[in-house]
Amino acid sequence: MLSSEVIKTTHQIQSSCLKRTVEFNLYIPDELMGNETVHLLLLNDGQEADALDMEGMLSDLYTSGKIETLVVAAVKSSQERLQEYGVAGVPDYLNRGSKADLYTQFVKEELLPFIEAQVAVPLTGTRAVAGFSLGGLSAFDLVWNNDQLFDVAGVFSGSFWWRKKDLKQGYQEDRDRIVHQMIRHTAGKPAVRFWLMTGTEDETADRNRNFIIDSIDDTIDVIKELKNKGYHRPDEVFYYEMVGGKHEIGTWAKAMPAFLTWAFGRKPKV
């Protein structure tokens, strides 16, 4: 049986891609044998991992037998967050996300090899990226455009409003939301799965005055685009709308075990 003890360590990478020091925490189950299937989660905004009680959460999920062996890398953002998170190569109307392509490069060329060397056992299981708000948008982009590396995107209150035009600049919903257009114009169907959540109190904004807050509208529209792309199986797209959920870490902490169980749930023995 997998040990419930989780070892937390802190690491730094002097990133040549981002031209800064990137700090992250690794959460690794104690007593890895090397012959088990080991899964990986990269968590954007990893500075929130303590507020999530990631260590205790993982320990509880192991104790209850709900998840498989999982390595979590909680990558801390910096003052460059608004530039490094976004959609690679497509900044928004204020040029935010201008370094999202460099963040993608960092993950692929520097972070993943470092983690693989540090863990010292093959990471042959499911590989996921998750994040909150703008970090969730980044997670979606990383997974969508790199399905050779990742299998699952976990998006908590994702910034799917990310747009090419301001609302006062002739914004049109069907053509100016960046992620929706990215899905629509991607050739083929990436071999990935999606876990998406919103809270009914994420915000109060209602652009189109349909009495549904924008975060829910934008996420539902992402799901529609995914279905149009061919994601029809129940295990490919999961949507969780938390009644009373807010745009804050307390809500996301409540939702995180559901995501971890969905993405890395222990399979019953046959």
Side-chain angles (χ1 to χ4, degrees):
M1 180 177 177
L2 183 65
S3 170
S4 63
E5 185 176 356
V6 176
I7 307 300
K8 172 187 173 183
T9 55
T10 301
H11 306 269
Q12 292 184 338
I13 294 177
Q14 302 299 323
S15 172
S16 60
C17 297
L18 298 175
K19 302 296 189 292
R20 69 175 180 89
T21 300
V22 181
E23 183 170 293
F24 63 97
N25 292 331
L26 280 179
Y27 298 83
I28 302 176
D30 193 19
E31 300 178 358
L32 283 181
M33 304 301 294
N35 59 352
E36 65 268 75
T37 300
V38 181
H39 307 275
L40 174 66
L41 170 63
L42 304 184
L43 182 65
N44 283 335
D45 282 319
Q47 70 276 3
E48 303 290 359
D50 286 343
L52 291 170
D53 187 21
M54 180 59 71
E55 201 169 343
M57 185 186 300
L58 291 170
S59 180
D60 289 345
L61 291 170
Y62 289 136
T63 298
S64 58
K66 291 183 178 179
I67 61 171
E68 301 280 356
T69 306
L70 173 65
V71 170
V72 177
V75 185
K76 301 177 184 181
S77 62
S78 73
Q79 61 184 7
E80 290 285 276
R81 180 180 185 273
L82 288 177
Q83 299 304 324
E84 293 176 358
Y85 288 170
V87 174
V90 191
D92 86 332
Y93 69 98
L94 291 178
N95 204 40
R96 293 171 295 193
S98 63
K99 296 183 180 181
D101 55 343
L102 298 177
Y103 186 69
T104 295
Q105 185 181 1
F106 159 73
V107 169
K108 294 165 63 174
E109 298 180 8
E110 298 178 325
L111 181 62
L112 285 176
F114 185 97
I115 294 170
E116 289 167 348
Q118 190 69 33
V119 175
V121 298
L123 300 172
T124 57
T126 297
R127 294 186 175 202
V129 187
F132 317 112
S133 191
L134 186 52
L137 177 73
S138 169
F140 189 99
D141 178 57
L142 272 164
V143 172
W144 179 263
N145 288 298
N146 297 280
D147 65 339
Q148 77 281 11
L149 292 175
F150 300 112
D151 309 290
V152 169
V155 182
F156 297 70
S157 302
S159 297
F160 290 132
W161 58 266
W162 203 242
R163 51 185 175 260
K164 293 182 287 187
K165 287 186 179 180
D166 191 2
L167 298 180
K168 299 177 182 179
Q169 295 176 325
Y171 166 84
Q172 294 186 28
E173 200 145 277
D174 63 342
R175 73 180 188 187
D176 290 326
R177 287 178 297 181
I178 293 172
V179 168
H180 302 75
Q181 288 294 301
M182 179 178 72
I183 296 170
R184 194 175 303 168
H185 296 301
T186 296
K189 175 190 169 188
V192 291
R193 301 186 295 136
F194 308 90
W195 189 95
L196 313 173
M197 75 80 59
T198 58
T200 59
E201 297 180 25
D202 249 326
E203 61 179 336
T204 58
D206 179 12
R207 295 188 300 270
N208 56 8
R209 301 179 183 179
N210 66 347
F211 303 103
I212 300 173
I213 59 174
D214 291 343
S215 61
I216 292 177
D217 257 348
D218 293 332
T219 302
I220 294 297
D221 286 347
V222 163
I223 294 171
K224 291 177 181 177
E225 293 291 350
L226 291 173
K227 289 186 179 297
N228 289 338
K229 184 61 71 172
Y231 295 91
H232 299 304
R233 297 200 321 266
D235 65 322
E236 289 182 312
V237 181
F238 183 89
Y239 176 57
Y240 175 21
E241 189 172 298
M242 182 183 289
V243 176
K246 300 180 179 180
H247 202 84
E248 61 184 23
I249 196 65
T251 289
W252 303 325
K254 292 177 183 177
M256 181 62 71
F259 165 66
L260 295 174
T261 303
W262 182 85
F264 310 106
R266 184 175 289 277
K267 306 297 187 295
K269 292 184 178 181
V270 181

